[in-house]
């Protein structure tokens, strides 16, 4: 469900120009790069960082939606939401696996998340305050994620592309699930309609921020584009998202909270008002409404699960020892 | 008849709800996927059973009316399933105890005179078979793992042992359904349950305590304090908007 | 504490097909890895059979030697049926 331009990657490399040119030629020929292939250190670092951020976003993303599993207002919605949040966990797992092919371990990545070195999508640092937020997250956040993830299925790094194909296939129900919730609410009672509008008011701008900083300020975009880790710029994807989403909001009878939003026939897309990038950076750097709670919840699960993981390893060792004795 | 099905439906919904509380908070990512799978199995069975109970009752109550608009005194689940999750050891032992009972129960229910019950039984025997395996694997590993896990597993046995007996007790409603051939007789399943439990507990190096005071009352709506909080949370949105569709 | 070992997961969608690599996961032992593979990789009916193999047990060819490993087959065209001329009159062969 994640999508956000990569934050703060270091794509510098120290390889010879010949090596870099040969590598670039493979990329330009649309060859996939596999884990054991020679690759520029910057390419490897960028990927570890991006796949790691992506995986962390899936895992942290389980929390805001998980907040409503126990309160889902019907059994059908409860089952669907549980299956969806479970999927996010699966997607995190696929992505950690893809990153692990590059020589980093899941435990290392987890430590980086818990001590704040690793980033994740800023959207998950906002609170889910009503059932309509679950609808909005599916519709907008997963919608934004799909925009970003479909091009990633063609990413130059094989394991990442393969993980994304699986993720995209599974995620096709997520956005529909969210939009259907919004549809039901907007066709419902006055209180439900209010709930739906309130959720859109709160999630619209953070959803636009998910695509990452404006192209003019996105310093690592060029190298990632050249290496085909990224296929479209942040602004291109954001525009696509707005153009797809505004008519959907109209269908729901909801008002997008942007007074400057207007159709621009010349560019065949919507113009929109300014995005509050100060807020974006504040949230990315830890100052969002829920940053501390999200990391605290992940840390709690990790620390309180330590004895379980230790026990499983201890048991495996005991059993291996017993088998060895029996074999003698 | 519908009351006997409600007991079963409540067991599965409440346990599924408890398992779902783990999603996003499990000891490892792999379990963040395993626990919701078990929860979804339970919630799925509950939904079919509620639908059938509502049909038999004939008062126009659907699955959501039964799940979201009854208070704690009207819930008929056994006490075992409403217990707070506690740590991972308690959650896994609770799941093993429940599944080790339900697997032979559903197996026997394959011959039910009620088509809906046979339908649930067909799916649920397999699901509960898997729950026995998965929860059993963990009980063995935690019991025969590291010192802390052994300690916690022993504590889990102490905590949950009093809630085993209620599984085998049939309420008046259940007895009527048993006599009608709709549901299997509970007490008859004790040997099958004990066989699974003693196999797993043996491998885990755990012993069942000798002197246990059984705790019962769920089938009459006398619950532990935990259920009221669970329902207050689960039903909050639904009850705040009477008549709304979701 | 050591890190929980990594396993590679292979799934056969149905009998008659080969097991295919689908990804990896962590598990303290083979049974837990198998359970996890079931819960992680077969949530939508993807599988009828699962293999889990410790990642450390896999020996892989080195991409640096790919040329000497795989290029020498390129000119052995006589291994392919189209290398041989059979008159059309003979019929399908």
């Amino acid at each position: 469900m994640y999508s956000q331009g990569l934050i703060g990657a270091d794509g510098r490399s120290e390889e010879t120009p010949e090596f870099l040119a040969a590598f670039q030629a493979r990329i330009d020929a649309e060859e996939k790069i596999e884990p054991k292939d020679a690759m520029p250190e910057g390419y490897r670092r960028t990927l570890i960082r991006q796949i790691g951020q992506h995986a962390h976003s899936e895992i942290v993303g389980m929390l805001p939606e998980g907040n409503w599993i126990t309160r889902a207002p019907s059994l059908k919605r409860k089952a669907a939401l549980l299956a969806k949040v479970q999927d996010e966990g699966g997607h995190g797992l696929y992505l950690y696996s893809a990153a692990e092919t590059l020589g980093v371990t899941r435990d290392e990545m987890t430590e980086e998340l818990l001590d704040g070195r690793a980033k994740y999508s800023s959207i998950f640092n906002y609170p889910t305050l009503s059932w309509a937020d679950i609808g909005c997250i599916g519709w907008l956040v997963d919608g934004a994620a799909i925009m970003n993830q479909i091009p990633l299925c063609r990413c130059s790094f094989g394991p990442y592309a393969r993980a994304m194909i699986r993720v995209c296939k599974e995620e096709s129900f997520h956005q529909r699930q969210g939009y259907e919730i919004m549809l039901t609410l907007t066709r419902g009672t006055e209180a439900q309609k209010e709930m739906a509008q309130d959720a859109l008011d709160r999630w619209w701008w953070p959803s636009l921020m998910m695509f990452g900083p404006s192209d003019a300020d996105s310093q690592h975009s060029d190298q990632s584009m050249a290496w085909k880790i990224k296929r479209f710029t942040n602004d291109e994807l954001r525009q696509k998202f707005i153009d797809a989403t505004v008519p959907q909001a109209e269908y729901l009878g909801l008002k997008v909270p942007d007074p400057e939003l207007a159709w621009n026939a010349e560019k065949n897309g919507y113009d929109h008002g300014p995005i509050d990038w100060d807020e974006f950076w504040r949230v990315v750097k830890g100052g969002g409404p829920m940053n501390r709670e999200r990391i605290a919840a992940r840390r709690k699960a990790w620390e309180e699960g330590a004895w379980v993981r230790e026990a499983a390893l201890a048991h495996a060792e005991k059993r291996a020892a017993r088998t060895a004795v029996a074999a003698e | 008849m519908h009351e006997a099905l409600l007991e079963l439906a409540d067991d599965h919904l409440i346990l599924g709800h408890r398992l779902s509380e783990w999603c996003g908070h499990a000891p490892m990512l792999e379990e963040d996927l395993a626990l919701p799978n078990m929860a979804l199995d339970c919630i799925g069975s509950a939904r079919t059973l509620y639908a059938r109970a509502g049909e038999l009752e004939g008062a126009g109550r659907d699955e959501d009316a039964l799940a979201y608009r009854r208070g704690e005194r009207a819930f008929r689940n056994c006490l075992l399933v409403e217990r707070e999750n506690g740590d991972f050891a308690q959650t896994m032992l609770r799941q093993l105890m429940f599944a080790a009972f339900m697997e032979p129960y559903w197996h026997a229910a394959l011959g039910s005179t009620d088509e809906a019950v046979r339908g649930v039984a067909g799916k649920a025997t397999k699901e509960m078979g898997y729950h026995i395996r998965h929860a059993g694997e963990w009980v063995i590993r935690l019991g025969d793992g590291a010192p802390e896990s052994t300690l916690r597993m022993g504590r889990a046995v102490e905590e949950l042992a009093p809630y085993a007996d209620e599984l085998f007790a049939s309420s008046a409603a259940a007895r009527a359904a048993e006599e009608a051939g709709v549901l299997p007789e509970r007490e008859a399943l004790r040997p099958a349950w004990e066989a699974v439990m003693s196999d797993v507990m043996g491998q885990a190096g755990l012993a069942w305590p000798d002197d246990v005071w059984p705790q019962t009352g769920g089938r009459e709506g006398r619950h532990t304090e935990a259920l009221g909080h669970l329902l207050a949370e689960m039903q909050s949105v639904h009850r705040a908007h009477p008549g709304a569709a979701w | 504490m050591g890190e929980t070992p990594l396993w590679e997961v292979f799934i056969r969608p149905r009998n008659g097909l080969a097991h295919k690599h689908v990804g990896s996961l962590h598990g303290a032992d083979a049974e837990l890895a198998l359970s996890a593979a079931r819960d992680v990789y077969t949530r939508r009916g993807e599988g009828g059979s699962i293999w889990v193999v410790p990642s450390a047990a896999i020996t892989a060819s080195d991409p640096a030697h790919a040329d000497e490993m795989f290029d020498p087959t390129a000119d052995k065209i006589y291994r392919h049926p189209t290398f041989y001329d059979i008159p059309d009159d003979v019929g399908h062969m």
Side-chain angles (χ1 to χ4, degrees):
Chain A
M1 75 136 56
Y2 148 94
S3 119
Q4 181 154 286
L6 176 62
I7 306 158
D10 179 0
R12 281 171 304 169
S13 285
E14 289 179 6
E15 288 82 6
T16 62
E18 293 75 25
F19 174 81
L20 290 175
F23 183 77
Q24 190 61 50
R26 291 188 64 189
I27 299 277
D28 292 342
E30 294 290 330
E31 267 185 54
K32 293 285 183 211
I33 307 302
E34 293 295 341
K36 288 181 187 300
D37 291 352
M39 62 183 83
E41 198 40 41
Y43 180 83
R44 179 191 302 274
R45 267 203 311 268
T46 302
L47 274 169
I48 288 178
R49 191 145 179 151
Q50 174 163 340
I51 303 172
Q53 280 181 15
H54 196 160
H56 297 325
S57 301
E58 300 284 355
I59 299 308
V60 176
M62 296 173 82
L63 299 170
E65 285 182 287
N67 184 35
W68 284 86
I69 291 172
T70 53
R71 288 177 288 174
S74 75
L75 293 183
K76 171 186 147 186
R77 296 291 179 207
K78 192 183 191 73
L81 179 59
L82 182 53
K84 176 179 191 286
V85 179
Q86 180 195 39
D87 271 354
E88 314 296 1
H91 300 167
L93 197 152
Y94 307 155
L95 288 160
Y96 283 131
S97 296
E100 284 179 286
T101 64
L102 289 164
V104 61
T105 70
R106 193 201 292 176
D107 282 4
E108 286 163 3
M109 288 184 276
T110 302
E111 296 293 345
E112 284 191 11
L113 171 68
L114 297 184
D115 68 22
R117 272 176 295 157
K119 302 290 177 215
Y120 56 89
S121 186
S122 56
I123 194 90
F124 304 121
N125 291 315
Y126 292 87
T128 49
L129 301 179
S130 80
W131 173 249
D133 290 28
I134 299 309
C136 258
I137 288 180
W139 170 37
L140 299 176
V141 177
D142 288 282
I146 291 166
M147 292 273 166
N148 197 42
Q149 289 178 162
I150 286 176
L152 281 174
C153 294
R154 294 188 295 128
C155 158
S156 61
F157 185 57
Y160 194 19
R162 289 193 287 275
M164 290 322 299
I165 289 169
R166 202 179 176 88
V167 167
C168 286
K169 214 190 278 177
E170 295 189 355
E171 220 157 68
S172 52
F173 99 81
H174 294 187
Q175 192 186 16
R176 293 170 65 94
Q177 176 258 173
Y179 196 71
E180 196 193 79
I181 290 175
M182 295 305 283
L183 260 175
T184 314
L185 293 175
T186 51
R187 304 279 182 276
T189 65
E190 276 313 305
Q192 285 177 307
K193 284 178 203 164
E194 273 170 38
M195 197 192 280
Q197 181 64 56
D198 169 63
L200 176 59
D201 290 347
R202 284 180 289 109
W203 289 97
W204 176 255
W205 290 106
S207 298
L208 298 190
M209 293 177 199
M210 282 178 69
F211 294 95
S214 185
D215 295 344
D217 306 316
S218 185
Q219 38 191 325
H220 307 291
S221 228
D222 293 349
Q223 183 62 74
S224 282
M225 295 279 282
W227 276 335
K228 297 190 179 169
I229 293 172
K230 207 176 148 112
R231 295 259 176 180
F232 294 99
T233 69
N234 295 350
D235 286 338
E236 281 166 357
L237 288 169
R238 187 166 17 243
Q239 185 67 49
K240 248 175 106 165
F241 173 75
I242 294 171
D243 293 345
T245 311
V246 171
Q248 294 165 355
E250 282 166 3
Y251 187 82
L252 292 172
L254 296 176
K255 195 171 159 20
V256 173
D258 178 358
E260 293 177 45
L261 190 77
W263 178 253
N264 180 334
E266 207 170 302
K267 76 170 186 186
N268 200 28
Y270 286 90
D271 289 330
H272 62 86
I275 292 173
D276 183 352
W277 292 114
D278 288 343
E279 174 179 323
F280 171 76
W281 286 112
R282 192 168 67 241
V283 176
V284 166
K285 287 175 181 162
M290 296 295 285
N291 292 62
R292 268 190 293 267
E293 286 86 342
R294 299 292 183 237
I295 292 301
R298 287 312 308 161
R299 187 188 300 281
K300 184 166 181 281
W302 182 246
E303 287 173 358
E304 290 183 359
W307 68 271
V308 177
R309 301 190 298 275
E310 274 167 35
L313 286 173
H315 178 84
E317 266 174 44
K318 279 189 202 176
R319 255 217 311 212
R322 269 178 233 149
T323 314
V325 169
E328 268 170 22
Chain B
M1 193 68 65
H2 76 277
E3 284 164 337
L5 293 185
L6 268 185
E7 292 177 4
L8 273 176
D10 289 347
D11 280 354
H12 286 80
L13 174 61
I14 299 302
L15 185 58
H17 182 98
R18 282 294 186 217
L19 289 169
S20 80
E21 292 173 356
W22 275 103
C23 184
H25 308 278
M28 65 201 69
L29 195 42
E30 282 74 6
E31 284 302 310
D32 272 316
L33 277 94
L35 289 154
N37 265 354
M38 296 198 285
L40 287 167
D41 289 343
C42 292
I43 293 169
S45 294
R47 291 183 64 186
T48 313
L49 292 164
Y50 279 134
R52 181 65 179 137
E55 204 175 272
L56 288 169
E57 184 190 38
R61 292 202 284 183
D62 64 6
E63 59 174 31
D64 288 333
L66 291 168
Y68 289 94
R69 293 202 289 276
R70 285 182 301 143
E72 60 180 295
R73 298 283 282 120
F75 265 74
R76 289 289 180 268
N77 57 279
C78 62
L79 302 180
L80 174 70
V81 298
E82 72 194 42
R83 298 264 320 169
E84 280 166 11
N85 284 331
D87 60 15
F88 192 68
Q90 288 193 38
T91 295
M92 284 297 135
L93 181 64
R94 183 183 62 195
Q95 200 62 28
L96 177 68
M97 288 166 67
F98 183 75
F101 176 81
M102 287 313 304
E103 197 269 338
Y105 184 94
W106 288 124
H107 195 79
L110 288 169
S112 166
T113 53
D114 187 276
E115 195 187 337
V117 171
R118 285 199 304 276
V120 176
K123 283 192 304 174
T125 40
K126 299 172 205 162
E127 292 167 355
M128 290 298 140
Y130 184 76
H131 294 200
I132 291 175
R133 266 197 33 215
H134 189 74
E137 272 166 6
W138 274 113
V139 169
I140 291 166
R141 279 155 186 77
L142 298 178
D144 180 26
E148 182 174 359
S149 72
T150 304
L151 190 77
R152 283 176 183 261
M153 205 62 239
R155 215 179 286 154
V157 173
E158 295 287 332
E159 285 286 324
L160 296 179
Y163 301 95
D165 250 19
E166 196 180 15
L167 290 169
F168 306 101
S170 296
S171 67
R175 261 198 308 280
E178 290 165 14
E179 279 157 21
V182 173
L183 297 176
E185 198 192 320
R186 288 180 166 263
E187 184 57 41
L189 302 171
R190 200 182 278 271
W193 185 83
E194 280 174 354
V196 170
M197 292 304 294
S198 66
D199 174 37
V200 173
M201 303 263 296
Q203 291 188 60
L206 296 165
W208 206 250
D210 290 330
D211 49 342
V212 175
W213 270 357
Q215 296 294 328
T216 60
R219 305 298 184 204
E220 290 87 49
R222 281 182 288 106
H223 291 278
T224 67
E225 291 178 353
L227 183 68
H229 293 281
L230 183 156
L231 294 180
E233 183 176 349
M234 184 177 88
Q235 300 175 338
S236 60
V237 178
H238 187 101
R239 282 188 187 263
H241 300 267
W246 300 100
Chain C
M1 180 180 60
E3 178 143 352
T4 306
L6 192 63
W7 302 73
E8 300 301 322
V9 181
F10 300 81
I11 290 180
R12 180 167 67 204
R14 59 176 191 275
N15 279 10
L17 299 176
H19 286 77
K20 188 170 170 251
H21 184 247
V22 293
S24 61
L25 46 74
H26 290 268
D29 58 52
E31 281 79 20
L32 287 180
L34 198 59
S35 249
R38 179 261 193 193
D39 287 317
V40 172
Y41 288 105
T42 68
R43 297 198 305 289
R44 287 172 170 81
E46 295 92 332
S49 167
I50 303 174
W51 290 347
V52 289
V53 179
S55 305
I58 289 179
T59 307
S61 61
D62 183 345
H65 300 151
D67 293 356
E68 61 200 58
M69 291 276 279
F70 309 114
D71 287 0
T73 73
D75 63 353
K76 314 293 195 291
I77 49 175
Y78 41 80
R79 284 188 174 126
H80 300 278
T82 47
F83 177 74
Y84 303 93
D85 281 330
I86 305 286
D88 287 348
D89 305 347
V90 179
H92 179 72
M93 186 176 280

